[in-house]
Amino acid sequence: MKHKHILPFLFITLLIFNCHTKNNTEPIQEASVTPNTQTKNNTTTHSNKVIHHQVLQIDTSELIIIDSIGIGFKSIYNYENNLIKIEFHQQNKGEWIVMQSIDSIFSQSTQNEIDLMDFNFDGLDDIRLFTSTGGRGSNEYYEVFLRNKNNEFKRLKSSDMPPNIIPNSKTKKVEAVRFYGKTRFEDHFIINDSLILEKSREVWTNGNWTYTKNNQYDQNGVVSKSSIDSIFDGGENEYNPEVAE
């Protein structure tokens, strides 16, 4: 009679042991996590749009794609000191990568306002970036970046000094005009990556007379030759760069 009570107890013990062993031998399923974004070199990519994380810098505009030269252009604005960082991007395996950057460019504009122009007349389009407007509202200032055949850029030194600069493909000069009571026309040329002033012509009127002051400069920016002319024209040629030539 004693053994009849032991059998049920053994059966229950074996049942519990088998269940416990089965649970411990089942494979463990690891959770797979698919991130929504990929981060490389402190850069987060969202559908081929590159967002750069810069301390104290605020990206105020989208990447401008210049199809004709295969370049992406972006300026990152620093509101603390009105400086911008220029980035030149190129595509690599479907992703826009920063290939070159230029720092510490003064600008009062927070937008990418660019023009493609050949400033050194080598057959390659360069980039002219708008940076500010003078107090009279008629003088606009730019930074120019010269491009070579490898799509590498150099900042054109002193390009931010003369207002309203534009290349003249006929004369092979970089022209500028400044409005400040008088009108000053300037011709520049480029040596390597520097803008050099060659000559200037100031024009102003007094009554029926238009006066011009012509200056020639050496490569150090020093006046080497100067003359003043006048013409009785009713004061109609104040904005004509060719008066009295």
Side-chain angles (χ1 to χ4, degrees):
M1 296 298 291
K2 293 182 179 179
H3 296 291
K4 291 182 180 180
H5 295 287
I6 293 174
L7 289 175
F9 175 79
L10 291 175
F11 176 78
I12 294 171
T13 303
L14 289 174
L15 181 62
I16 294 173
F17 178 79
N18 287 337
C19 292
H20 181 72
T21 303
K22 182 178 179 181
N23 289 338
N24 284 342
T25 57
E26 288 181 351
I28 298 174
Q29 300 293 327
E30 293 186 0
S32 60
V33 178
T34 303
N36 294 325
T37 61
Q38 296 178 348
T39 302
K40 298 179 180 179
N41 297 328
N42 204 29
T43 300
T44 305
T45 303
H46 300 264
S47 304
N48 291 336
K49 183 172 70 176
V50 181
I51 303 172
H52 293 272
H53 306 291
Q54 301 289 341
V55 178
L56 296 179
Q57 291 180 330
I58 301 175
D59 188 5
T60 61
S61 57
E62 297 294 330
L63 184 67
I64 293 180
I65 310 301
I66 308 171
D67 292 329
S68 61
I69 59 178
I71 290 292
F73 181 91
K74 186 196 298 187
S75 66
I76 301 174
Y77 198 76
N78 187 327
Y79 284 94
E80 284 196 350
N81 51 22
N82 299 114
L83 295 178
I84 56 176
K85 175 183 178 181
I86 301 300
E87 292 182 347
F88 299 99
H89 298 237
Q90 286 184 311
Q91 272 196 323
N92 182 12
K93 297 180 180 180
E95 184 176 312
W96 286 98
I97 304 297
V98 178
M99 304 302 293
Q100 186 182 355
S101 63
I102 301 176
D103 282 308
S104 304
I105 299 171
F106 176 78
S107 177
Q108 294 177 337
S109 173
T110 61
Q111 303 298 321
N112 284 326
E113 299 179 38
I114 63 174
D115 302 292
L116 297 181
M117 300 179 175
D118 185 3
F119 274 85
N120 54 357
F121 313 105
D122 61 355
L124 301 173
D125 280 333
D126 308 305
I127 290 179
R128 186 182 75 167
L129 171 70
F130 172 76
T131 57
S132 61
T133 301
R136 291 173 59 90
S138 301
N139 297 314
E140 295 185 345
Y141 293 87
Y142 302 88
E143 286 277 358
V144 174
F145 304 93
L146 302 176
R147 179 173 68 100
N148 65 21
K149 61 182 180 181
N150 297 319
N151 277 347
E152 298 169 337
F153 289 85
K154 278 188 176 181
R155 183 181 182 183
L156 178 59
K157 296 175 183 176
S158 301
S159 62
D160 60 329
M161 301 299 291
N164 307 309
I165 60 171
I166 191 169
N168 187 326
S169 59
K170 294 182 179 179
T171 63
K172 303 298 182 184
K173 303 293 181 184
V174 177
E175 298 177 345
V177 56
R178 185 189 306 269
F179 303 100
Y180 60 106
K182 300 177 182 179
T183 306
R184 177 184 168 101
F185 302 92
E186 298 177 353
D187 285 348
H188 303 78
F189 60 94
I190 295 175
I191 296 181
N192 297 323
D193 58 348
S194 296
L195 188 67
I196 308 297
L197 178 61
E198 181 182 43
K199 66 179 182 179
S200 67
R201 174 179 292 260
E202 288 181 299
V203 184
W204 69 97
T205 60
N206 187 356
N208 291 320
W209 292 83
T210 297
Y211 296 88
T212 60
K213 181 179 181 180
N214 301 284
N215 288 332
Q216 295 278 347
Y217 301 85
D218 61 22
Q219 291 193 11
N220 295 317
V222 178
V223 176
S224 59
K225 184 179 179 181
S226 183
S227 64
I228 297 179
D229 299 305
S230 62
I231 182 174
F232 188 82
D233 60 354
E236 297 178 354
N237 285 291
E238 183 177 2
Y239 303 106
N240 183 2
E242 299 180 356
V243 62
E245 282 193 320

